[in-house]
Amino acid sequence: MEAFDYTPLQGRVVFGQGTLARIADEVQLLGCRRPFVMSDAHHVEGAAARVLQLLGDQVAGFSTEAAMHTPVDVTERVLERVHAGAPDCLVSLGGGSTTGLSKALALRTGLPQIVIPTTYAGSEATPILGQTEQGRKTTLRSPRVLPRTIVYDIDLTLGMPVHLSVVSGMNAMAHAVEALYARDGNPITSMLAEQGIAALARALPVIAADTRNAGARSDALFGAWACGNCLGTVGMALHHKLCHTLGGSFDLPHAETHTVILPQVAAFNAVSAPQALQRVARALGVDKAGAGLFDLAESLGAPTTLKAIGMSESDLDKAAEIATSAPYWNPRAVDKGAIRTLLDDAYHGRRPRN
Ligand code: NAD
């Protein structure tokens, strides 16, 4: 075994079916009595209404204003209502956007959070917060934004449409793929990364055929946690850098961008991190990681081209320029020409050979 450093993330995980019913107990377990609740428009009449009902007159306020990439103006607006309600904790139910709002409020108030995720984005398992202000996305890492409790309820994911399930699952896998070749990688994170990729790769085709399959939903949600944990414990590289650039500067949809870029970056990095990419391939049950990820997305009807998700070809030069303007670590050296070629492959959806 090679030398390594590893700092586990603190936090309680409640995982199972019907766990939402335990939300009031979880608030109490934190020693809290007045939660401020957040959710999204999709859940407002269903699961969010149930949370409000379960928490009853303890609730200090409610918001459904979360938006993709956590805009600071939205956070500041909701923060005024948080101050007015004087809560002692935050409870959020929704995808990565709702989790993002909760984290942004936790950063500003120091309040403990309980997060109930409804997609596979994985943000609930990380001390990372991305925020946008005047069109610029910045990312920070702080223990203040790490949720104290995650409540995973498989029932909340049974109705997730196939498209969202697949792209969100690929978003999660991206965290694990980059964890396997992370500069600060360690055997514990790598073990979770392989398990997370395998669980999602096994589950997504079953979900695409039968969205309400509880066994596959359970595997996928576990995979989301495992992959999120990878993002939370080690540093990321080219894939996350490129997705950050494409999402932040060209307004591309988050999970879809990860889905299109991941196979191309996996193939690009296979030359310099062959063992890591072999582990990815093994977890996927294929020979080549990049080709396997591409085939998985394509077979499940997910996008495989940047063209299909709103990128214009004339912006590829600018994207390559931005993504290589500041140096960052990646197992394979990154230069503008190579990234421009990678983006061209992603734009046209060429199946990688590696
Ligand atoms: P999202 O939260 O914006 O959800 C996408 C859409 O799906 C929304 O309209 C939402 O209402 C709906 N939705 C959510 N759950 C659903 C369900 N179960 N069934 C049907 N519809 C549902 O998107 P996301 O992909 O979950 O998260 C993306 C955001 O998360 C981005 O802002 C990204 O930056 C952030 N993120 C952050 C981290 C981190 O560690 N900081 C990690 C991953 C993603």
Side-chain angles (χ1 to χ4, degrees), residues 315-328:
D315 279 335
L316 294 180
D317 281 334
K318 196 169 149 205
E321 173 80 47
I322 300 172
T324 52
S325 58
Y328 54 90

Side-chain angles (χ1 to χ4, degrees), residues 264 268 320 335-347 350:
Q264 307 296 344
F268 179 83
D335 67 69
K336 197 177 146 196
I339 296 311
R340 178 64 179 81
T341 305
L342 189 159
L343 287 172
D344 200 66
D345 289 341
Y347 181 80
R350 295 187 189 105

Side-chain angles (χ1 to χ4, degrees), residues 78-298:
V78 180
L79 188 60
E80 284 178 25
R81 307 225 324 268
V82 170
H83 286 316
D88 57 10
C89 68
L90 303 166
V91 171
S92 74
L93 181 148
S97 298
T98 311
T99 307
L101 174 60
S102 175
K103 287 171 146 183
L105 294 171
L107 179 73
R108 289 160 175 81
T109 59
L111 291 171
Q113 313 165 70
I114 300 177
V115 173
I116 310 161
T118 61
T119 69
Y120 305 135
S123 174
E124 66 281 358
T126 81
I128 302 169
L129 170 64
Q131 305 184 93
T132 41
E133 194 166 20
Q134 289 161 356
R136 268 199 67 225
K137 184 168 175 179
T138 53
T139 303
L140 60 86
R141 247 177 210 267
S142 163
R144 272 169 86 90
V145 307
L146 182 69
R148 289 274 294 277
T149 307
I150 312 171
V151 176
Y152 286 110
D153 187 341
I154 292 143
D155 288 342
L156 296 177
T157 63
L158 294 178
M160 202 195 312
V162 171
H163 175 82
L164 180 59
S165 304
V166 175
V167 295
S168 177
M170 296 286 294
N171 180 187
M173 278 195 210
H175 312 326
V177 170
E178 295 233 291
L180 281 163
Y181 53 64
R183 183 167 46 168
D184 54 352
N186 64 75
I188 301 108
T189 300
S190 294
M191 198 168 62
L192 270 181
E194 268 200 71
Q195 282 206 27
I197 294 168
L200 281 158
R202 192 167 65 231
L204 293 179
V206 181
I207 289 168
D210 171 14
T211 53
R212 302 193 74 81
N213 184 305
R217 286 296 189 187
S218 174
D219 277 353
L221 202 54
F222 168 76
W225 172 76
C227 294
N229 197 282
C230 293
L231 173 64
T233 48
V234 298
M236 298 286 114
L238 175 63
H239 172 80
H240 282 75
K241 176 74 181 178
L242 271 181
C243 292
H244 184 105
T245 300
L246 294 169
S249 304
F250 303 97
D251 210 22
L252 298 192
H254 181 85
E256 284 83 352
T257 306
H258 277 268
T259 305
V260 173
I261 294 295
L262 184 62
Q264 307 296 344
V265 172
F268 179 83
N269 280 337
V271 183
S272 304
Q275 284 179 345
L277 274 307
Q278 266 161 25
R279 291 181 79 171
V280 175
R282 184 168 72 194
L284 292 168
V286 299
D287 289 338
K288 306 279 182 196
L293 289 163
F294 184 93
D295 293 345
L296 181 67
E298 191 177 46

